[in-house]
Amino acid sequence: MARLQLPYLPPSSITSESVWQSRRQCLAQLGFGALGLTASKYLGAAEQVAATEVALTDKTSLFQAPRNVRYSVDDTLTSFEDISSYNNFYEFGTGKGDPARYAPAMKTRPWTVSIEGEVMRPRTFDIDDLLKLAPLEERVYRLRCVEAWSMVIPWSGYPLAKLLAQVQPTNNARYVEFVTALEPEVMPGVHTRILDWPYVEALRIDEAVHPLTLLVFGVYGKPLPNANGAPLRIAVPWKYGFKSAKSIVRIRLLEKQPLTSWTKAASREYGFYANVNPDVPHPRWSQATERIIGSGLFARRVPTRMYNGYGDQVASLYSGMDLSRYY
Ligand code: MTE
């Protein structure tokens, strides 16, 4: 597998990030969302240019979002081919190629996501409404799997906090649980008992509303391939990859910490927090280094960093916790 460095041009490289952001903000302040274009005749000349750009973006691809450099890393991108063909999505099988082979049979329209539990306004969202809830942005995140391999992925999405704000969590909401699709007709893996299906993951609420926690709809400026968790998943870059649930259908806000699929299957091996930590080995292997996917036949290994390199942004969430313990 070769590492791809083909010309991938995010819109931010055509129009500068600040110009893009200020134009978008301007439209948003005026109350015109990305699709409120019929109102463009009321805008001044500069705004009309901006409106045209947004219109073009929406027509060509909603997913080609401007890159948010504040939350992106500079590391070499993993190729789209590797990102979409080397996957963990056990519903479709345990082989790395199984999701790319079987997941295309999963229908991602119609698709709804219900949000329930400790919220003032429980709601069911249609996927196409969710896509328009906030402007998508591109973020280049590291992904570190608990199996000690890693990738660097340009996701498109918006902070999960924006969705949670819509349903108004109550004061009792301390955890956010993600329940994912269970479709036995198209998912050969769920006929095995590796996990108790559906796949369930969860975060503490302060982790869920952290600005780094992204609700993801696309990758490389395109809709998510099914193998990567279409039509929507989360990306929590400072945690082992299994926390980033794919193909979400239900989000529940809870008072008590829920039991997640991997913790249920093997609590000694997969803790609830699962923050990337090179100093705490998995019971069966070291977490000190990681293999970079796509770095050739003799894949390069590099040292793993605490919180996957996001410590400056997230370490404060865990002050007081004994990090040498396995959580
Ligand atoms: N989500 C579901 N529904 N099912 C899964 O098996 N695997 C997890 C996570 N989310 C998984 C899942 C694991 S172990 C990893 S490493 C990441 O998805 C992999 O994401 P990727 O295949 O898009 O790289």
Side-chain angles (χ1 to χ4, degrees):
M1 287 183 278
R3 190 195 291 228
L4 177 98
Q5 274 310 303
L6 288 174
Y8 165 67
L9 290 179
S12 50
S13 61
I14 302 161
T15 305
S16 84
E17 164 82 9
S18 54
V19 172
W20 252 92
Q21 291 297 9
S22 63
R23 284 176 183 172
R24 289 210 148 200
Q25 266 163 20
C26 167
L27 285 173
Q29 275 159 15
L30 287 165
F32 305 128
L35 296 176
L37 298 170
T38 48
S40 63
K41 63 181 173 187
Y42 300 114
L43 302 179
E47 286 77 11
Q48 283 210 18
V49 175
T52 313
E53 268 190 32
V54 174
L56 277 175
T57 307
D58 288 328
K59 273 208 186 106
T60 50
S61 173
L62 184 65
F63 301 91
Q64 287 171 20
R67 182 173 296 178
N68 185 336
V69 287
R70 180 162 169 8
Y71 292 109
S72 292
V73 296
D74 281 336
D75 311 18
T76 306
L77 296 181
T78 307
S79 72
F80 177 79
E81 191 199 17
D82 284 336
I83 291 170
S84 56
S85 65
Y86 186 96
N87 300 101
N88 275 339
F89 201 162
Y90 275 20
E91 288 88 329
F92 295 100
T94 52
K96 296 293 184 249
D98 289 340
R101 185 160 168 216
Y102 298 113
M106 176 173 68
K107 288 208 170 63
T108 57
R109 293 290 187 288
W111 190 282
T112 57
V113 180
S114 62
I115 312 194
E116 53 198 63
E118 290 292 344
V119 293
M120 312 278 271
R121 300 176 60 207
R123 260 176 84 177
T124 298
F125 292 86
D126 183 80
I127 183 65
D128 292 309
D129 294 332
L130 272 185
L131 264 165
K132 288 177 232 147
L133 198 76
L136 300 195
E137 52 187 75
E138 182 182 80
R139 294 187 181 192
V140 178
Y141 276 178
R142 298 187 195 100
L143 169 77
R144 170 58 159 84
C145 179
V146 73
E147 297 163 347
W149 52 262
S150 65
M151 297 191 188
V152 179
I153 307 181
W155 301 116
S156 318
Y158 54 74
L160 176 66
K162 295 206 176 173
L163 173 57
L164 295 179
Q166 296 280 318
V167 294
Q168 298 173 5
T170 70
N171 289 338
N172 294 334
R174 295 184 53 220
Y175 294 91
V176 182
E177 181 192 61
F178 305 89
V179 182
T180 74
L182 176 55
E183 297 176 19
E185 334 65 75
V186 292
M187 294 177 163
V190 305
H191 300 287
T192 65
R193 300 195 158 227
I194 305 164
L195 292 175
D196 191 8
W197 313 104
Y199 190 101
V200 171
E201 255 312 330
L203 298 169
R204 220 170 53 187
I205 194 149
D206 56 341
E207 299 174 325
V209 300
H210 189 281
L212 274 174
T213 302
L214 199 65
L215 191 61
V216 172
F217 302 89
V219 66
Y220 264 107
K222 302 182 238 196
L224 276 177
N226 286 3
N228 293 92
L232 84 167
R233 64 174 294 163
I234 51 166
V236 195
W238 71 96
K239 291 178 178 283
Y240 292 122
F242 69 87
K243 297 299 293 181
S244 294
K246 294 170 160 186
S247 302
I248 296 165
V249 293
R250 196 145 61 98
I251 298 177
R252 291 202 304 156
L253 284 92
L254 303 169
E255 192 170 356
K256 297 215 170 74
Q257 183 177 309
L259 189 56
T260 55
S261 294
W262 278 109
T263 306
K264 200 169 180 179
S267 60
R268 278 191 62 253
E269 305 200 4
Y270 309 103
F272 178 83
Y273 283 92
N275 291 321
V276 175
N277 186 343
D279 301 325
V280 178
H282 182 276
R284 290 183 281 133
W285 60 82
S286 163
Q287 295 290 19
T289 63
E290 63 203 53
R291 180 169 58 96
I292 299 180
I293 298 299
S295 60
L297 199 55
F298 303 103
R300 215 151 55 86
R301 286 199 89 88
V302 294
T304 288
R305 282 179 281 173
M306 187 67 201
Y307 297 115
N308 205 18
Y310 293 93
D312 54 340
Q313 295 172 73
V314 300
S316 61
L317 297 178
Y318 308 104
S319 54
M321 273 170 76
D322 175 5
L323 298 179
S324 65
R325 237 189 78 194
Y326 189 78
Y327 286 102

